[in-house]
Amino acid sequence: MSSMPVSSYTFVTSGGQRRFVHRWQYENNEVIECNKCGSSCKETDAYGKHWSQPKTLDDNDSNNNNKDGSIDISRTAKTPIALSTSTSSSTSSSSSLTSSDKSFGRITTLMDSKEIIVSKNVESFMLCASKAVSDSQQFLLDAGIKAVPDLLASLYAMYGGGHSHRLLLVAVGFYVTIGGETFMLQTTELTIKHHYDIRESVDMIFAMLLEKLRNFLACRSESNGFGKQEAYSIKRIRIKVRKQQLQQESMPLPLHYARKQTNMEMSGTTANRNELASLTAWFRQHLLTSEPLDSQMSPFPCNLYCFQECPNSLELYVVPYHLGSSSNDLYKSRSFIILCDIKGRFMELQEITNIRRFLHHATEDRVLWCPRCQQCFVEHSKLALHKMLQCGRGFEILQLDSDFIEIYENCLLLEKCDNWSLFGIIE
């Protein structure tokens, strides 16, 4: 089995120009350069020229808020929606949403429905395969890569902003049909503290649900004396999302970097708070005026870094934004990471306790083991998510009665495409 390609992030200086390059190197020494991350500027320009400048909180999208609190009810269903399946107390699967598109008024994007989702505190969502005969694997692929991550990212954008730090508590359920019987396979809640963790969290949730399903099918086949595992069908997915205020002053870091950061012993002192406030004011002035950062005006010598995400591979990496130190003193000066919300608005600066460790990208093969279930991983963040879901021990499989019908009188059609439709359920 071939290893994953190794990423590298480098600056190349030539002819008075400085170019940033993101590359992947494979085992056979083949090198592929990313066509999205590359950027170029003058060699004398600040490193921040390579990256899009964060917006300030003064750029808040207040125009999108409905000031009088009114709700466009044309976006809600005018007739009850019946979801054909049933529920009893032991095990579960799914069926399709029955209703014509005429019941929902105009088709909206997720952010178009912000007012009603926030005002009505919509926490339940249903993702349904649009075609009567659909490929379950393709539906799950579309849901895991596009629909569910986009939903969670939109909810972060709706509820985030300002100086509030919110987290999302997410639980997912697959409606599974096996041999004419219907089951609900559902997770426990997973806490997502940072928007950069959304896609990896959804990947882990789906992987653990499918593993649970495979184990259930294996046990079912063995107990029923089947020669091979039964086929299954998944056409609906339920997503429950609760928002919660984060009970900490500083904004959390993405899982990839949180483990590299340790709490500073002096972070709570008055001197440190005053220094950070002065540095933040200096940086905010730079954002408001678009003037280059002047090291001479900085409250103290420091280096600033920012997060970037590769549009192709979705890899998260840290790059310099402002270096106020010479290359010889790079690791000796105080360093800070620029933290922004999901809309790219500046939130705060956070001091990096060990910049060498923070910037380091491990390239060696490694295996991480879960001490509880002995499952292995190659990424610390995946192991962390696995542990947060308690190895899947709290997952449930509930059987639904064949004549049970779920009825929702208020549904909001959020998105519709060729393969799936997403509904918000107003309870």
Side-chain angles (χ1 to χ4, degrees):
M1 184 177 67
S2 61
S3 300
M4 295 293 291
V6 177
S7 284
S8 64
Y9 314 94
T10 56
F11 291 96
V12 180
T13 303
S14 176
Q17 293 287 309
R18 184 179 62 233
R19 189 166 71 98
F20 173 73
V21 183
H22 176 202
R23 295 188 179 100
W24 296 281
Q25 182 170 348
Y26 290 80
E27 276 189 327
N28 60 0
N29 292 325
E30 179 186 6
V31 176
I32 297 178
E33 187 170 315
C34 179
N35 62 351
K36 297 287 181 65
C37 290
S39 60
S40 181
C41 65
K42 293 180 181 179
E43 182 181 354
T44 55
D45 285 339
Y47 284 90
K49 280 282 187 179
H50 289 280
W51 330 115
S52 57
Q53 181 172 286
K55 296 181 290 184
T56 67
L57 292 177
D58 301 325
D59 296 326
N60 204 336
D61 57 340
S62 56
N63 292 333
N64 293 331
N65 295 328
N66 199 336
K67 291 182 172 56
D68 60 2
S70 60
I71 297 172
D72 180 6
I73 59 173
S74 66
R75 300 180 187 176
T76 61
K78 296 179 175 60
T79 56
I81 304 303
L83 298 171
S84 57
T85 18
S86 60
T87 177
S88 77
S89 58
S90 189
T91 283
S92 95
S93 187
S94 84
S95 58
S96 58
L97 196 70
T98 59
S99 178
S100 66
D101 291 342
K102 295 179 181 179
S103 301
F104 296 92
R106 69 183 180 90
I107 296 177
T108 67
T109 64
L110 293 175
M111 293 308 292
D112 283 339
S113 306
K114 174 180 177 179
E115 291 86 357
I116 193 168
I117 289 176
V118 174
S119 300
K120 290 293 186 180
N121 194 30
V122 180
E123 295 183 332
S124 297
F125 303 87
M126 195 72 71
L127 186 68
C128 305
S130 297
K131 299 176 181 178
V133 179
S134 62
D135 179 4
S136 293
Q137 298 304 318
Q138 186 60 51
F139 174 59
L140 289 173
L141 192 63
D142 291 342
I145 292 178
K146 171 70 176 172
V148 178
D150 283 0
L151 168 64
L152 298 182
S154 297
L155 293 176
Y156 252 102
M158 291 177 193
Y159 293 117
H163 291 282
S164 63
H165 304 316
R166 293 186 182 276
L167 52 83
L168 297 182
L169 303 173
V170 180
V172 175
F174 288 173
Y175 288 80
V176 189
T177 301
I178 308 170
E181 296 179 279
T182 311
F183 301 85
M184 165 63 81
L185 171 58
Q186 57 190 13
T187 70
T188 52
E189 280 187 329
L190 175 65
T191 301
I192 303 178
K193 294 183 178 181
H194 199 285
H195 60 268
Y196 277 134
D197 295 329
I198 289 175
R199 292 190 179 276
E200 196 166 26
S201 297
V202 174
D203 286 346
M204 180 58 67
I205 287 173
F206 274 50
M208 292 180 68
L209 278 171
L210 290 174
E211 181 184 11
K212 193 81 170 181
L213 178 58
R214 286 192 294 269
N215 292 338
F216 174 71
L217 289 173
C219 293
R220 178 182 166 93
S221 297
E222 183 178 342
S223 62
N224 291 337
F226 297 142
K228 61 179 182 179
Q229 289 188 10
E230 299 173 275
Y232 66 87
S233 173
I234 299 176
K235 294 185 178 180
R236 282 198 293 138
I237 299 174
R238 186 184 68 191
I239 307 103
K240 295 277 291 183
V241 184
R242 293 193 301 121
K243 64 181 183 298
Q244 194 173 94
Q245 189 74 26
L246 189 61
Q247 301 300 317
Q248 64 183 62
E249 292 184 5
S250 59
M251 188 176 180
L253 294 172
L255 283 173
H256 278 290
Y257 290 90
R259 70 180 186 85
K260 299 182 179 184
Q261 180 77 320
T262 56
N263 293 327
M264 299 188 65
E265 295 180 2
M266 302 296 292
S267 60
T269 65
T270 302
N272 260 39
R273 286 198 299 267
N274 291 340
E275 286 180 342
L276 186 58
S278 299
L279 189 66
T280 301
W282 171 69
F283 182 71
R284 189 182 295 277
Q285 184 66 20
H286 153 71
L287 297 181
L288 291 172
T289 62
S290 297
E291 294 293 329
L293 285 168
D294 185 355
S295 296
Q296 300 297 322
M297 301 297 293
S298 172
F300 50 86
C302 67
N303 303 318
L304 303 181
Y305 296 83
C306 64
F307 287 118
Q308 293 294 313
E309 187 177 47
C310 175
N312 285 322
S313 63
L314 301 180
E315 294 172 81
L316 187 64
Y317 54 89
V318 173
V319 283
Y321 187 93
H322 165 78
L323 297 181
S325 311
S326 64
S327 57
N328 295 332
D329 297 327
L330 193 61
Y331 294 118
K332 297 178 182 178
S333 299
R334 295 175 67 179
S335 298
F336 296 81
I337 185 75
I338 302 166
L339 298 180
C340 300
D341 67 7
I342 195 169
K343 296 182 180 180
R345 297 177 301 196
F346 171 64
M347 296 291 286
E348 64 183 63
L349 296 173
Q350 193 171 127
E351 187 160 6
I352 302 171
T353 53
N354 187 332
I355 186 60
R356 192 184 296 273
R357 182 179 185 222
F358 206 79
L359 297 177
H360 177 66
H361 291 272
T363 57
E364 70 277 3
D365 292 333
R366 62 199 183 281
V367 177
L368 307 169
W369 295 88
C370 174
R372 174 178 288 181
C373 67
Q374 302 303 306
Q375 188 167 346
C376 60
F377 301 89
V378 295
E379 295 286 345
H380 284 277
S381 54
K382 287 183 172 57
L383 175 58
L385 290 168
H386 174 81
K387 289 180 177 179
M388 289 165 67
L389 287 166
Q390 299 177 349
C391 309
R393 298 190 180 201
F395 288 19
E396 293 183 308
I397 301 178
L398 306 174
Q399 186 169 17
L400 305 181
D401 296 333
S402 58
D403 58 349
F404 180 81
I405 297 178
E406 297 175 78
I407 297 178
Y408 301 103
E409 296 193 3
N410 294 294
C411 275
L412 169 69
L413 179 58
L414 299 175
E415 277 194 327
K416 184 174 183 180
C417 67
D418 292 339
N419 297 327
W420 49 265
S421 299
L422 177 66
F423 299 89
I425 299 170
I426 304 172
E427 297 175 323

